[in-house]
Amino acid sequence: MNKLKLGVIGVGGIAQNRHIPAFQKLNHLVEIVGVQDINEALSQKVASQFHISNVFTEYEEMFSEVDAVVICTPNKFHAEISIAALNAGVHVFCEKPMAMNREECDAMIEASKKSGKLLAIGYHYRFTDAAITAHLAIEEGVVGDPLVTRVQALRRRKVPGWGVFTNKELQGGGSLIDYGCHLLDLAMWLQNNAQPVEVLGKTYNRLSKTPNQINDWGAFNHETFEVDDHVSTFITFDDGSTMQFECSWSANIKEDKIHLSMSGVEGGLNVYPFEIYQPRFGTFFNEQAYAEHNEDEAAQRQALNFVNSCLGLEDLIVKPEEAQRVSSLIDAIYQSSEEGRSVRIKY
């Protein structure tokens, strides 16, 4: 079997620390043949570090040499590069979020359908043991019909002080579009992809716009900070269930917190740590299982799923239509906060 030829577009931290190592561990199935970045000196450095043969000046030059690309650029360029690659007959793995807004997501999906090439989005939380175990338990009816999902993705004073994370033009938003999107995707996947229909959201950035901030993830300029650092949202779905959602880069809390739990008609489930709560035999059962949230292992599984899907050996775990749903929800949260009212989502 011929190896999948892969190119990497954008070679910043996420490419160096997650995607390039993950795909190179699959060297029996895939070969990274080239990289491209707007910073050519960085491209040369990364190519040398990871023993990658080719450095391309423009990403379009890569398409004739590869079967698939991994896109790790700022969010603003996700749609543009993905569509160009798909139109050139190249499979695409694009980092999350899928794009800046729903309209761009729609155009990406259309390009994928027209070209017949795969479009995968990097929501790697689905590939953790905790997420997989929760999904299997929900499929077996542990929760039953869901009623309320509670989600928190909270970091204490960890605004990313590198890259362009606080640049609204390049990223489209802050803590929600960068971090909260992972938990939104995971929660909706566990809800069997229920459709969000109404959103009441509020975004904040007052804390990060004040001077002399304590920040564990490097320095940033409070005067030019222009994205959200904290978001609180209430979401209603088409099956009548609801979600209470909160995310932050810079919360004044005791410690970082990641939480995802569901309460349903038949029982309840907590993902971190994995626990099941059910009434049985006239009493209440609390059950635990060891199912960890290992992001390195998840990244490896995600890479394998993409490669095998490109080779026709399995199906994508994260469908582009599901990632588009996350982006539609993010759009609605930002709109709700800006307009000071609840927003209905139309499909």
Side-chain angles (χ1 to χ4, degrees), residues 88-198:
V90 174
H91 299 297
V92 170
F93 176 94
C94 182
E95 247 301 335
K96 61 78 198 168
M98 186 171 177
M100 297 281 274
N101 52 54
R102 177 181 170 176
E103 288 73 22
E104 291 185 351
C105 295
D106 289 343
M108 292 165 71
I109 291 171
E110 180 62 26
S112 176
K113 290 179 177 177
K114 192 173 181 179
S115 67
K117 297 300 177 180
L118 296 179
L119 173 60
I121 309 299
Y123 283 118
H124 68 282
Y125 279 27
R126 293 197 198 184
F127 294 85
T128 63
D129 286 343
I132 293 168
T133 305
H135 194 260
L136 291 171
I138 291 168
E139 283 189 326
E140 288 195 10
V142 164
V143 172
D145 292 336
L147 299 173
V148 179
T149 300
R150 303 168 189 86
V151 180
Q152 288 182 305
L154 304 176
R155 291 174 177 159
R156 187 183 78 163
R157 299 305 184 95
K158 288 185 174 67
V159 175
W162 60 88
V164 296
F165 285 97
T166 64
N167 185 315
K168 188 173 183 179
E169 180 184 355
L170 294 178
Q171 293 294 93
S175 61
L176 174 58
I177 203 168
D178 169 62
Y179 178 39
C181 65
H182 275 302
L183 275 296
L184 285 176
D185 174 75
L186 179 55
M188 288 198 289
W189 184 55
L190 295 179
Q191 290 177 281
N192 292 316
N193 293 308
Q195 295 274 17
V197 294
E198 187 171 16

Side-chain angles (χ1 to χ4, degrees), residues 150-309:
R150 303 168 189 86
V151 180
Q152 288 182 305
L154 304 176
R155 291 174 177 159
R156 187 183 78 163
R157 299 305 184 95
K158 288 185 174 67
V159 175
W162 60 88
V164 296
F165 285 97
T166 64
N167 185 315
K168 188 173 183 179
E169 180 184 355
L170 294 178
Q171 293 294 93
S175 61
L176 174 58
I177 203 168
D178 169 62
Y179 178 39
C181 65
H182 275 302
L183 275 296
L184 285 176
D185 174 75
L186 179 55
M188 288 198 289
W189 184 55
L190 295 179
Q191 290 177 281
N192 292 316
N193 293 308
Q195 295 274 17
V197 294
E198 187 171 16
V199 173
L200 180 62
K202 180 66 179 177
T203 69
Y204 306 87
N205 68 3
R206 182 176 174 184
L207 191 152
S208 295
K209 291 181 74 66
T210 58
N212 303 315
Q213 286 299 303
I214 299 171
N215 192 59
D216 290 342
W217 281 4
F220 64 93
N221 188 342
H222 72 278
E223 293 182 348
T224 60
F225 190 94
E226 55 185 1
V227 296
D228 52 283
D229 62 9
H230 203 121
V231 175
S232 179
T233 300
F234 186 82
I235 305 162
T236 302
F237 293 86
D238 60 353
D239 61 0
S241 66
T242 59
M243 182 192 299
Q244 301 168 10
F245 172 84
E246 183 184 16
C247 72
S248 182
W249 274 343
S250 56
N252 284 319
I253 53 178
K254 181 180 179 180
E255 58 192 3
D256 294 356
K257 183 175 184 180
I258 179 172
H259 175 85
L260 200 168
S261 63
M262 296 179 67
S263 296
V265 174
E266 301 299 327
L269 179 146
N270 189 74
V271 181
Y272 311 110
F274 186 83
E275 296 175 337
I276 291 172
Y277 320 113
Q278 280 189 314
R280 297 205 303 261
F281 313 121
T283 187
F284 206 78
F285 276 67
N286 296 336
E287 300 177 281
Q288 297 177 322
Y290 182 73
E292 64 180 354
H293 179 81
N294 185 319
E295 294 192 41
D296 290 335
E297 189 173 81
Q300 198 62 57
R301 291 171 176 168
Q302 176 180 250
L304 180 60
N305 175 245
F306 178 65
V307 171
N308 278 342
S309 296

Side-chain angles (χ1 to χ4, degrees), residues 15-27 30 32 296 299-304:
Q16 296 175 47
N17 299 323
R18 177 172 298 156
H19 296 303
I20 293 176
F23 283 106
Q24 285 193 330
K25 287 179 182 177
L26 302 174
N27 58 13
V30 61
I32 300 178
D296 290 335
Q300 198 62 57
R301 291 171 176 168
Q302 176 180 250
L304 180 60

Side-chain angles (χ1 to χ4, degrees), residues 2-8 20 23-24 26-34 51-54 65-68 307:
N2 293 329
K3 291 184 180 182
L4 187 78
K5 293 181 179 180
L6 190 70
V8 180
I20 293 176
F23 283 106
Q24 285 193 330
L26 302 174
N27 58 13
H28 60 297
L29 295 173
V30 61
E31 177 188 3
I32 300 178
V33 299
H51 308 289
I52 298 170
S53 302
N54 299 300
E65 306 297 324
V66 300
D67 304 306
V307 171

